[in-house]
């Protein structure tokens, strides 16, 4: 497969690139800054410099031509303010989806966030509130697209602990944490599982092997 990943220098994206390259897929990681290219190359992917906050749909679609799947793994990241939560976590996601449709790339995965489906409680930090609202709006936008075979993955609190390969994956899991390693492993399995198209799934650590967890939610 050829897979294009938005946010190619992100912590989950780099793990995903390594896994996909190891199994022989051709991977392109879209990055904002040229100095990130070395890390993407080291992960086994082709670095593509393209700023999703300023690029046109046509610009991004050119990078997606011939791809079998696309993964939106971009995010404004820690330290960014309310404005960039909207321009990256919402607007860039919509742009990437527009580009996928323009390039004829149907399989489309989104890394979202647990809690993006409801209004944050009163008293929630304003920046985190903006983040959850942006993620929720992006998810709503993707779900409405008939031109995409989408799956939305909402992990719990992310950690850098080594992956265990054991997860809980369902439409509702309850709140807990999950290693980034295991998020990347689940994304690989989701790419290959058409039974998860049109599903929004939560992910936390659990006791079911990753490949089995994906098969179960796909009804296999």
């Amino acid at each position: 497969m050829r897979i294009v990943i938005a946010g190619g220098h992100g912590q989950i994206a780099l793990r995903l690139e390594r896994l996909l390259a190891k199994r022989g897929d051709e991977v392109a990681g879209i990055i904002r800054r040229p100095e990130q290219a070395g890390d993407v190359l080291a992960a086994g992917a082709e670095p593509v410099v393209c700023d999703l906050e300023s690029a046109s749909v046509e610009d991004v679609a050119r990078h997606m031509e011939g791809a079998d799947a696309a993964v939106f793994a971009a995010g404004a990241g820690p330290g960014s303010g309310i404005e960039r939560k909207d321009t990256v976590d919402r607007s860039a996601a919509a742009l990437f989806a527009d580009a996928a449709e323009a390039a004829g790339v149907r399989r489309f995965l989104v890394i979202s966030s647990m809690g993006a489906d409801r209004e944050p409680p009163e008293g929630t930090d304003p920046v985190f509130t903006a983040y959850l609202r942006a993620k929720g709006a992006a998810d709503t936008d993707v779900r409405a697209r008939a031109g995409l075979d989408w799956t939305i993955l909402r992990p719990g609190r992310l950690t850098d602990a080594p992956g265990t390969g054991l997860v809980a994956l369902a439409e509702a899991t309850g709140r807990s944490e999950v290693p980034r390693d295991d998020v990347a492993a689940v994304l690989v399995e989701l790419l290959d599982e058409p039974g998860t198209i049109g599903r929004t799934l939560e992910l936390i650590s659990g006791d079911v092997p990753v490949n089995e967890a994906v098969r179960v939610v796909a009804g296999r």
Side-chain angles (χ1 to χ4, degrees):
M1 297 175 68
R2 173 171 169 79
I3 300 149
V4 180
I5 302 173
H9 191 257
Q11 295 186 67
I12 293 174
L14 288 169
R15 288 166 166 84
L16 178 59
E17 288 159 3
R18 292 186 195 101
L19 292 175
L20 293 172
K22 185 176 180 180
R23 74 174 195 171
D25 289 325
E26 181 183 344
V27 189
I30 294 179
I31 55 177
R32 188 164 61 92
R33 300 196 302 271
E35 59 267 28
Q36 298 170 331
D39 292 336
V40 174
L41 280 169
E46 170 199 356
V48 176
V49 179
C50 180
D51 187 348
L52 296 179
E53 290 181 89
S54 60
S56 68
V57 171
E58 293 75 21
D59 290 337
V60 182
R62 279 194 292 272
H63 298 305
M64 300 175 78
E65 289 177 0
D68 300 290
V71 180
F72 186 79
S80 57
I82 290 174
E83 182 178 350
R84 291 201 70 229
K85 300 306 183 190
D86 185 70
T87 58
V88 179
D89 292 284
R90 183 198 60 79
S91 184
L95 174 75
F96 195 59
D98 286 341
E101 289 185 313
V105 182
R106 290 199 61 93
R107 191 69 176 110
F108 195 85
L109 269 56
V110 176
I111 303 174
S112 182
S113 175
M114 198 172 285
D117 56 347
R118 53 191 173 272
E119 184 65 13
E122 187 175 347
T124 301
D125 173 75
V127 175
F128 189 61
T129 293
Y131 167 75
L132 290 176
R133 287 173 176 165
K135 282 295 190 185
D139 293 353
T140 298
D141 175 84
V142 168
R143 287 190 187 117
R145 294 174 183 262
L148 297 178
D149 293 332
W150 55 266
T151 303
I152 294 170
L153 184 65
R154 291 175 168 170
R157 189 176 68 82
L158 299 168
T159 77
D160 288 325
T164 65
L166 299 173
V167 299
L169 180 69
E171 291 183 356
T173 61
R175 290 186 173 274
S176 189
E177 59 188 26
V178 61
R180 290 178 173 86
D181 288 347
D182 289 334
V183 178
V186 168
L187 289 166
V188 172
E189 295 293 329
L190 290 175
L191 281 168
D192 295 337
E193 181 46 78
T196 62
I197 290 170
R199 303 285 299 278
T200 301
L201 301 168
E202 294 185 349
L203 173 68
I204 58 175
S205 292
D207 55 10
V208 180
V210 165
N211 58 350
E212 182 181 342
V214 173
R215 284 200 307 269
V216 168
V217 298
R220 300 188 185 279

